[in-house]
Amino acid sequence: MNQAAVRLRSVTRSYGRNDSAVTALDAVSLDIPRGTFTAIMGPSGSGKSTLLQCTAGLDRPTSGQVLLGETDLTKLSETKLTLLRRKRIGFVFQAFNLLPSLTAEQNVALPLRLAGRRPKRSEVLDVLGQVGLRDRAGHRPSEMSGGQQQRVALARALVTRPEVLFGDEPTGALDSTTSREVLALLRSMVDNGQTVIMVTHDPVAASYADRVLFLTDGRVQGELLAPSAEQVAAHMTGLAAVPC
């Protein structure tokens, strides 16, 4: 059995106080094995984005533990948490968030510079090569398609060699053909040992994962292993049909 890359133990996240309090996550416990692709799905307001943010150290749970390897994120100061995110965690979002004035090479090198490292051009070009864009290293975002920009964002997330790569609707802004290209790239990275956790609303995107977790009202309400897009869609339809 693969060692867990991430472990959640009774993670609860509440917003507000007293009668106005809203519980976004309700005592969630789960393990994410290393080298696996996990998709998180659920209806709007189910807590999937909150789960991603707490797991990635972008938000602090109200109670419970989040462990990256053996490191308990809930016990780290904000400064140490920031350093951990820079060194051990990668992020890809629906918005590409590339700096328009920088080339692809410069955008990819940015996390290394923020971490106080002087990037080697060879390592930046290598990671651009991994996403098939080595020949676009000198191009700015405006000179690339949406799919190419997302692949640059993916290279930027991977350049620090993160233990876990988090994606928040990473293909949400792409057309279906380009989306499949990016998902296939993520799948190949997982097959080579990368751990990926992705929030998505798209059953096709979820079908690239090894495991799909379904959230409802802040709780995990089932999972599917290596499902087809049709199985994911059917499960989501079933969740929507369950009365609150």
Side-chain angles (χ1 to χ4, degrees), residues 191-228:
D191 292 340
N192 284 296
Q194 181 66 56
T195 305
V196 175
I197 302 173
M198 173 183 73
V199 163
T200 183
H201 69 280
D202 181 4
V204 173
S207 71
Y208 282 77
D210 302 302
R211 178 190 188 197
V212 184
L213 299 175
F214 297 92
L215 262 66
T216 305
D217 297 328
R219 297 180 179 180
V220 177
Q221 302 281 5
E223 65 178 70
L224 292 174
L225 301 178
S228 66

Side-chain angles (χ1 to χ4, degrees), residues 2-223:
N2 288 341
Q3 182 184 355
V6 175
R7 289 173 288 162
L8 275 65
R9 295 292 178 264
S10 300
V11 171
T12 295
R13 182 64 171 102
S14 300
Y15 299 93
R17 294 181 178 180
N18 303 323
D19 293 342
S20 63
V22 174
T23 300
L25 292 179
D26 189 0
V28 173
S29 295
L30 58 88
D31 287 7
I32 306 293
R34 294 188 189 278
T36 61
F37 192 164
T38 302
I40 301 169
M41 301 191 75
S44 178
S46 61
K48 55 187 184 294
S49 291
T50 302
L51 176 63
L52 189 79
Q53 290 164 5
C54 287
T55 306
L58 292 170
D59 192 10
R60 289 187 182 273
T62 306
S63 62
Q65 286 182 296
V66 179
L67 296 104
L68 178 68
E70 298 302 318
T71 304
D72 187 345
L73 304 191
T74 57
K75 292 183 178 179
L76 297 182
S77 67
E78 287 300 327
T79 299
K80 289 184 177 179
L81 198 53
T82 298
L83 292 173
L84 178 139
R85 288 195 301 262
R86 286 179 182 173
K87 293 179 179 179
R88 298 173 60 185
I89 290 174
F91 300 96
V92 184
F93 300 98
Q94 180 173 335
F96 313 132
N97 295 327
L98 301 178
L99 295 180
S101 61
L102 301 184
T103 64
E105 181 181 344
Q106 291 167 334
N107 268 289
V108 171
L110 197 56
L112 297 177
R113 295 188 183 282
L114 289 173
R117 288 180 52 192
R118 184 174 181 177
K120 293 181 181 178
R121 187 162 191 256
S122 59
E123 68 179 320
V124 175
L125 292 178
D126 282 348
V127 77
L128 277 169
Q130 288 178 39
V131 300
L133 289 178
R134 189 184 179 101
D135 62 341
R136 293 278 180 166
H139 289 68
R140 289 180 170 78
S142 61
E143 301 170 311
M144 292 181 285
S145 68
Q148 289 171 333
Q149 290 183 61
Q150 188 60 301
R151 281 190 279 159
V152 172
L154 188 53
R156 181 182 58 191
L158 292 168
V159 74
T160 58
R161 300 182 180 180
E163 293 175 36
V164 183
L165 176 65
F166 290 91
D168 191 357
E169 301 281 5
T171 59
L174 305 176
D175 62 67
S176 59
T177 299
T178 307
S179 172
R180 283 168 172 77
E181 291 173 355
V182 171
L183 289 163
L185 184 58
L186 286 171
R187 179 70 255 176
S188 69
M189 289 174 177
V190 172
D191 292 340
N192 284 296
Q194 181 66 56
T195 305
V196 175
I197 302 173
M198 173 183 73
V199 163
T200 183
H201 69 280
D202 181 4
V204 173
S207 71
Y208 282 77
D210 302 302
R211 178 190 188 197
V212 184
L213 299 175
F214 297 92
L215 262 66
T216 305
D217 297 328
R219 297 180 179 180
V220 177
Q221 302 281 5
E223 65 178 70

